Amino acid sequence: ISIMNITRISLLAAVVGVAALGAASVMAAAHDKPSRTVSASVTRTSTVTKIDKKDRWITLKLEDGSLVDIQAGPAVKNFDQIKVGDQLIAEAQDTVTIEVVPAGQAAPNVTGGSSMVSAPKGAKPMGVVVDTVVVSGKVTAIDYATRTVTLVGPEGNSRTFQVGPEAKKFNAVKQGDVVVVTLKSATSLQVVTPAK
């Protein structure tokens, strides 16, 4: 749903911003290098007001009262279980983990994957998609006085970052260490019949 994608972009920007600003508490890794995890989630509920079963179109009334038409593609199992008055609950949750690992334990890299779960036959439609991306970069320069660190990414690109005072154990970061950033995005859509 395009409304969810807009919400997810805003949510992701907020999560990354919070991680960069260090608003989350810092957790000590087993190797005593800095690391942190930040999560944020948002839930939106809409109500089914009209269904075109032939062409698989659904009209939803959003929380702000506006109406939106969406077409349920073939990936939406159990379409016939949707009734006028049902609610579509959409949730997006993003988690960013930043961890510094000692030299030799990781290399600059980008990996990712996706998994999906859907409703069993005969149940109301639902689906959960989890996307994971891991990006790592090697520390090539560090200045403890100005609290800056330069990272080289998997494609050889170099970038210097200012590290705020809320990032504890900054002095434990050494040249050659690797910064690993893991982004996990989970989106769930579920059709439910509201309690009367």
Side-chain angles (χ1 to χ4, degrees):
I1 298 174
S2 61
I3 301 296
M4 203 63 194
N5 288 339
I6 292 168
T7 302
R8 161 151 270 121
I9 291 167
S10 300
L11 178 64
L12 181 56
V15 168
V16 172
V18 168
L21 295 174
S25 61
V26 175
M27 302 178 303
H31 44 69
D32 210 33
K33 299 279 185 181
S35 69
R36 76 178 66 237
T37 298
V38 180
S39 294
S41 65
V42 65
T43 302
R44 299 282 184 249
T45 302
S46 56
T47 303
V48 177
T49 61
K50 185 178 171 186
I51 302 171
D52 174 353
K53 292 193 181 271
K54 181 179 175 243
D55 295 321
R56 297 176 60 101
W57 282 92
I58 302 170
T59 301
L60 297 173
K61 183 176 184 179
L62 305 180
E63 292 170 330
D64 66 2
S66 62
L67 298 176
V68 64
D69 292 322
I70 61 168
Q71 188 171 28
V76 177
K77 295 180 182 177
N78 305 329
F79 179 80
D80 290 337
Q81 298 294 328
I82 303 172
K83 308 290 183 217
V84 170
D86 283 350
Q87 292 181 327
L88 174 66
I89 301 171
E91 181 177 5
Q93 179 171 3
D94 290 318
T95 303
V96 176
T97 301
I98 302 171
E99 181 181 16
V100 178
V101 298
Q105 289 191 8
N109 196 10
V110 177
T111 60
S114 186
S115 62
M116 181 176 174
V117 176
S118 61
K121 186 174 181 172
K124 291 276 190 187
M126 66 80 66
V128 178
V129 177
V130 179
D131 295 310
T132 305
V133 176
V134 181
V135 180
S136 56
K138 184 177 181 180
V139 176
T140 58
I142 190 162
D143 186 326
Y144 299 107
T146 63
R147 295 185 66 89
T148 58
V149 62
T150 302
L151 302 177
V152 171
E155 296 179 1
N157 50 329
S158 179
R159 184 154 180 208
T160 301
F161 297 91
Q162 181 78 38
V163 179
E166 60 282 330
K168 308 298 182 203
K169 300 183 183 180
F170 181 68
N171 289 340
V173 179
K174 306 293 182 206
Q175 191 169 336
D177 286 350
V178 175
V179 177
V180 180
V181 179
T182 304
L183 170 62
K184 186 176 283 188
S185 298
T187 303
S188 67
L189 298 171
Q190 180 178 14
V191 175
V192 298
T193 301
K196 296 190 178 189

